[in-house]
mmCIF file with all atom_site columns, all heavy atoms in Angstrom:
data_model
loop_
_atom_site.group_PDB
_atom_site.id
_atom_site.type_symbol
_atom_site.label_atom_id
_atom_site.label_alt_id
_atom_site.label_comp_id
_atom_site.label_asym_id
_atom_site.label_entity_id
_atom_site.label_seq_id
_atom_site.pdbx_PDB_ins_code
_atom_site.Cartn_x
_atom_site.Cartn_y
_atom_site.Cartn_z
_atom_site.occupancy
_atom_site.B_iso_or_equiv
_atom_site.pdbx_formal_charge
_atom_site.auth_seq_id
_atom_site.auth_comp_id
_atom_site.auth_asym_id
_atom_site.auth_atom_id
_atom_site.pdbx_PDB_model_num
ATOM 1   N N   . ALA A 1 102 ? 8.067  208.423 83.052 1.00 0.00 ? 102 ALA A N   1
ATOM 2   C CA  . ALA A 1 102 ? 9.282  208.606 82.252 1.00 0.00 ? 102 ALA A CA  1
ATOM 3   C C   . ALA A 1 102 ? 9.724  210.069 82.263 1.00 0.00 ? 102 ALA A C   1
ATOM 4   O O   . ALA A 1 102 ? 10.919 210.373 82.370 1.00 0.00 ? 102 ALA A O   1
ATOM 5   C CB  . ALA A 1 102 ? 9.039  208.135 80.820 1.00 0.00 ? 102 ALA A CB  1
ATOM 6   N N   . VAL A 1 103 ? 8.766  210.979 82.168 1.00 0.00 ? 103 VAL A N   1
ATOM 7   C CA  . VAL A 1 103 ? 9.114  212.399 82.152 1.00 0.00 ? 103 VAL A CA  1
ATOM 8   C C   . VAL A 1 103 ? 9.578  212.843 83.535 1.00 0.00 ? 103 VAL A C   1
ATOM 9   O O   . VAL A 1 103 ? 10.481 213.676 83.660 1.00 0.00 ? 103 VAL A O   1
ATOM 10  C CB  . VAL A 1 103 ? 7.915  213.240 81.670 1.00 0.00 ? 103 VAL A CB  1
ATOM 11  C CG1 . VAL A 1 103 ? 8.241  214.735 81.732 1.00 0.00 ? 103 VAL A CG1 1
ATOM 12  C CG2 . VAL A 1 103 ? 7.544  212.859 80.248 1.00 0.00 ? 103 VAL A CG2 1
ATOM 13  N N   . ARG A 1 104 ? 9.006  212.272 84.584 1.00 0.00 ? 104 ARG A N   1
ATOM 14  C CA  . ARG A 1 104 ? 9.462  212.624 85.931 1.00 0.00 ? 104 ARG A CA  1
ATOM 15  C C   . ARG A 1 104 ? 10.922 212.231 86.128 1.00 0.00 ? 104 ARG A C   1
ATOM 16  O O   . ARG A 1 104 ? 11.689 212.944 86.778 1.00 0.00 ? 104 ARG A O   1
ATOM 17  C CB  . ARG A 1 104 ? 8.577  211.944 86.978 1.00 0.00 ? 104 ARG A CB  1
ATOM 18  C CG  . ARG A 1 104 ? 7.310  212.752 87.296 1.00 0.00 ? 104 ARG A CG  1
ATOM 19  C CD  . ARG A 1 104 ? 6.548  212.127 88.432 1.00 0.00 ? 104 ARG A CD  1
ATOM 20  N NE  . ARG A 1 104 ? 5.876  210.906 88.019 1.00 0.00 ? 104 ARG A NE  1
ATOM 21  C CZ  . ARG A 1 104 ? 5.469  209.956 88.838 1.00 0.00 ? 104 ARG A CZ  1
ATOM 22  N NH1 . ARG A 1 104 ? 5.704  210.055 90.138 1.00 0.00 ? 104 ARG A NH1 1
ATOM 23  N NH2 . ARG A 1 104 ? 4.840  208.888 88.386 1.00 0.00 ? 104 ARG A NH2 1
ATOM 24  N N   . ARG A 1 105 ? 11.319 211.084 85.550 1.00 0.00 ? 105 ARG A N   1
ATOM 25  C CA  . ARG A 1 105 ? 12.731 210.683 85.657 1.00 0.00 ? 105 ARG A CA  1
ATOM 26  C C   . ARG A 1 105 ? 13.623 211.683 84.935 1.00 0.00 ? 105 ARG A C   1
ATOM 27  O O   . ARG A 1 105 ? 14.708 212.026 85.419 1.00 0.00 ? 105 ARG A O   1
ATOM 28  C CB  . ARG A 1 105 ? 12.913 209.274 85.092 1.00 0.00 ? 105 ARG A CB  1
ATOM 29  C CG  . ARG A 1 105 ? 12.397 208.169 86.015 1.00 0.00 ? 105 ARG A CG  1
ATOM 30  C CD  . ARG A 1 105 ? 12.966 206.828 85.629 1.00 0.00 ? 105 ARG A CD  1
ATOM 31  N NE  . ARG A 1 105 ? 12.492 206.394 84.315 1.00 0.00 ? 105 ARG A NE  1
ATOM 32  C CZ  . ARG A 1 105 ? 11.437 205.596 84.116 1.00 0.00 ? 105 ARG A CZ  1
ATOM 33  N NH1 . ARG A 1 105 ? 10.738 205.170 85.154 1.00 0.00 ? 105 ARG A NH1 1
ATOM 34  N NH2 . ARG A 1 105 ? 11.079 205.253 82.901 1.00 0.00 ? 105 ARG A NH2 1
ATOM 35  N N   . ARG A 1 106 ? 13.182 212.145 83.753 1.00 0.00 ? 106 ARG A N   1
ATOM 36  C CA  . ARG A 1 106 ? 13.969 213.153 83.033 1.00 0.00 ? 106 ARG A CA  1
ATOM 37  C C   . ARG A 1 106 ? 14.015 214.464 83.828 1.00 0.00 ? 106 ARG A C   1
ATOM 38  O O   . ARG A 1 106 ? 15.035 215.153 83.853 1.00 0.00 ? 106 ARG A O   1
ATOM 39  C CB  . ARG A 1 106 ? 13.363 213.407 81.649 1.00 0.00 ? 106 ARG A CB  1
ATOM 40  C CG  . ARG A 1 106 ? 13.543 212.256 80.680 1.00 0.00 ? 106 ARG A CG  1
ATOM 41  C CD  . ARG A 1 106 ? 12.999 212.593 79.304 1.00 0.00 ? 106 ARG A CD  1
ATOM 42  N NE  . ARG A 1 106 ? 13.646 213.755 78.702 1.00 0.00 ? 106 ARG A NE  1
ATOM 43  C CZ  . ARG A 1 106 ? 13.384 214.194 77.478 1.00 0.00 ? 106 ARG A CZ  1
ATOM 44  N NH1 . ARG A 1 106 ? 12.497 213.551 76.719 1.00 0.00 ? 106 ARG A NH1 1
ATOM 45  N NH2 . ARG A 1 106 ? 13.997 215.252 77.002 1.00 0.00 ? 106 ARG A NH2 1
ATOM 46  N N   . ALA A 1 107 ? 12.906 214.794 84.474 1.00 0.00 ? 107 ALA A N   1
ATOM 47  C CA  . ALA A 1 107 ? 12.860 216.022 85.263 1.00 0.00 ? 107 ALA A CA  1
ATOM 48  C C   . ALA A 1 107 ? 13.801 215.955 86.463 1.00 0.00 ? 107 ALA A C   1
ATOM 49  O O   . ALA A 1 107 ? 14.399 216.963 86.856 1.00 0.00 ? 107 ALA A O   1
ATOM 50  C CB  . ALA A 1 107 ? 11.428 216.291 85.722 1.00 0.00 ? 107 ALA A CB  1
ATOM 51  N N   . ASP A 1 108 ? 13.942 214.753 87.037 1.00 0.00 ? 108 ASP A N   1
ATOM 52  C CA  . ASP A 1 108 ? 14.856 214.589 88.171 1.00 0.00 ? 108 ASP A CA  1
ATOM 53  C C   . ASP A 1 108 ? 16.268 215.037 87.813 1.00 0.00 ? 108 ASP A C   1
ATOM 54  O O   . ASP A 1 108 ? 16.982 215.617 88.630 1.00 0.00 ? 108 ASP A O   1
ATOM 55  C CB  . ASP A 1 108 ? 14.883 213.128 88.628 1.00 0.00 ? 108 ASP A CB  1
ATOM 56  C CG  . ASP A 1 108 ? 13.587 212.708 89.311 1.00 0.00 ? 108 ASP A CG  1
ATOM 57  O OD1 . ASP A 1 108 ? 12.810 213.596 89.719 1.00 0.00 ? 108 ASP A OD1 1
ATOM 58  O OD2 . ASP A 1 108 ? 13.351 211.487 89.420 1.00 0.00 ? 108 ASP A OD2 1
ATOM 59  N N   . ALA A 1 109 ? 16.676 214.743 86.579 1.00 0.00 ? 109 ALA A N   1
ATOM 60  C CA  . ALA A 1 109 ? 18.042 215.079 86.149 1.00 0.00 ? 109 ALA A CA  1
ATOM 61  C C   . ALA A 1 109 ? 18.268 216.587 86.076 1.00 0.00 ? 109 ALA A C   1
ATOM 62  O O   . ALA A 1 109 ? 19.407 217.053 86.123 1.00 0.00 ? 109 ALA A O   1
ATOM 63  C CB  . ALA A 1 109 ? 18.321 214.437 84.789 1.00 0.00 ? 109 ALA A CB  1
ATOM 64  N N   . LEU A 1 110 ? 17.177 217.359 85.949 1.00 0.00 ? 110 LEU A N   1
ATOM 65  C CA  . LEU A 1 110 ? 17.286 218.818 85.895 1.00 0.00 ? 110 LEU A CA  1
ATOM 66  C C   . LEU A 1 110 ? 17.099 219.458 87.261 1.00 0.00 ? 110 LEU A C   1
ATOM 67  O O   . LEU A 1 110 ? 17.194 220.680 87.394 1.00 0.00 ? 110 LEU A O   1
ATOM 68  C CB  . LEU A 1 110 ? 16.221 219.387 84.948 1.00 0.00 ? 110 LEU A CB  1
ATOM 69  C CG  . LEU A 1 110 ? 16.356 219.104 83.459 1.00 0.00 ? 110 LEU A CG  1
ATOM 70  C CD1 . LEU A 1 110 ? 15.161 219.687 82.715 1.00 0.00 ? 110 LEU A CD1 1
ATOM 71  C CD2 . LEU A 1 110 ? 17.654 219.675 82.907 1.00 0.00 ? 110 LEU A CD2 1
ATOM 72  N N   . GLY A 1 111 ? 16.801 218.663 88.275 1.00 0.00 ? 111 GLY A N   1
ATOM 73  C CA  . GLY A 1 111 ? 16.473 219.225 89.566 1.00 0.00 ? 111 GLY A CA  1
ATOM 74  C C   . GLY A 1 111 ? 15.055 219.767 89.616 1.00 0.00 ? 111 GLY A C   1
ATOM 75  O O   . GLY A 1 111 ? 14.713 220.567 90.484 1.00 0.00 ? 111 GLY A O   1
ATOM 76  N N   . PHE A 1 112 ? 14.208 219.299 88.678 1.00 0.00 ? 112 PHE A N   1
ATOM 77  C CA  . PHE A 1 112 ? 12.811 219.733 88.614 1.00 0.00 ? 112 PHE A CA  1
ATOM 78  C C   . PHE A 1 112 ? 11.989 218.827 89.522 1.00 0.00 ? 112 PHE A C   1
ATOM 79  O O   . PHE A 1 112 ? 11.173 218.024 89.077 1.00 0.00 ? 112 PHE A O   1
ATOM 80  C CB  . PHE A 1 112 ? 12.333 219.657 87.155 1.00 0.00 ? 112 PHE A CB  1
ATOM 81  C CG  . PHE A 1 112 ? 11.057 220.396 86.868 1.00 0.00 ? 112 PHE A CG  1
ATOM 82  C CD1 . PHE A 1 112 ? 10.915 221.737 87.188 1.00 0.00 ? 112 PHE A CD1 1
ATOM 83  C CD2 . PHE A 1 112 ? 9.995  219.749 86.254 1.00 0.00 ? 112 PHE A CD2 1
ATOM 84  C CE1 . PHE A 1 112 ? 9.733  222.406 86.903 1.00 0.00 ? 112 PHE A CE1 1
ATOM 85  C CE2 . PHE A 1 112 ? 8.821  220.408 85.964 1.00 0.00 ? 112 PHE A CE2 1
ATOM 86  C CZ  . PHE A 1 112 ? 8.688  221.754 86.292 1.00 0.00 ? 112 PHE A CZ  1
ATOM 87  N N   . THR A 1 113 ? 12.236 218.959 90.824 1.00 0.00 ? 113 THR A N   1
ATOM 88  C CA  . THR A 1 113 ? 11.675 218.046 91.814 1.00 0.00 ? 113 THR A CA  1
ATOM 89  C C   . THR A 1 113 ? 11.020 218.833 92.946 1.00 0.00 ? 113 THR A C   1
ATOM 90  O O   . THR A 1 113 ? 11.236 220.042 93.095 1.00 0.00 ? 113 THR A O   1
ATOM 91  C CB  . THR A 1 113 ? 12.769 217.144 92.405 1.00 0.00 ? 113 THR A CB  1
ATOM 92  O OG1 . THR A 1 113 ? 13.758 217.979 93.041 1.00 0.00 ? 113 THR A OG1 1
ATOM 93  C CG2 . THR A 1 113 ? 13.449 216.321 91.332 1.00 0.00 ? 113 THR A CG2 1
ATOM 94  N N   . GLU A 1 114 ? 10.232 218.122 93.761 1.00 0.00 ? 114 GLU A N   1
ATOM 95  C CA  . GLU A 1 114 ? 9.590  218.763 94.899 1.00 0.00 ? 114 GLU A CA  1
ATOM 96  C C   . GLU A 1 114 ? 10.634 219.422 95.804 1.00 0.00 ? 114 GLU A C   1
ATOM 97  O O   . GLU A 1 114 ? 11.664 218.832 96.102 1.00 0.00 ? 114 GLU A O   1
ATOM 98  C CB  . GLU A 1 114 ? 8.782  217.748 95.707 1.00 0.00 ? 114 GLU A CB  1
ATOM 99  C CG  . GLU A 1 114 ? 7.550  217.220 94.990 1.00 0.00 ? 114 GLU A CG  1
ATOM 100 C CD  . GLU A 1 114 ? 7.818  215.970 94.186 1.00 0.00 ? 114 GLU A CD  1
ATOM 101 O OE1 . GLU A 1 114 ? 9.000  215.749 93.795 1.00 0.00 ? 114 GLU A OE1 1
ATOM 102 O OE2 . GLU A 1 114 ? 6.868  215.196 93.935 1.00 0.00 ? 114 GLU A OE2 1
#
Side-chain angles (χ1 to χ4, degrees):
V103 177
R104 275 186 287 159
R105 285 197 294 265
R106 289 183 60 176
D108 289 343
L110 292 177
F112 195 54
T113 60
E114 291 91 336

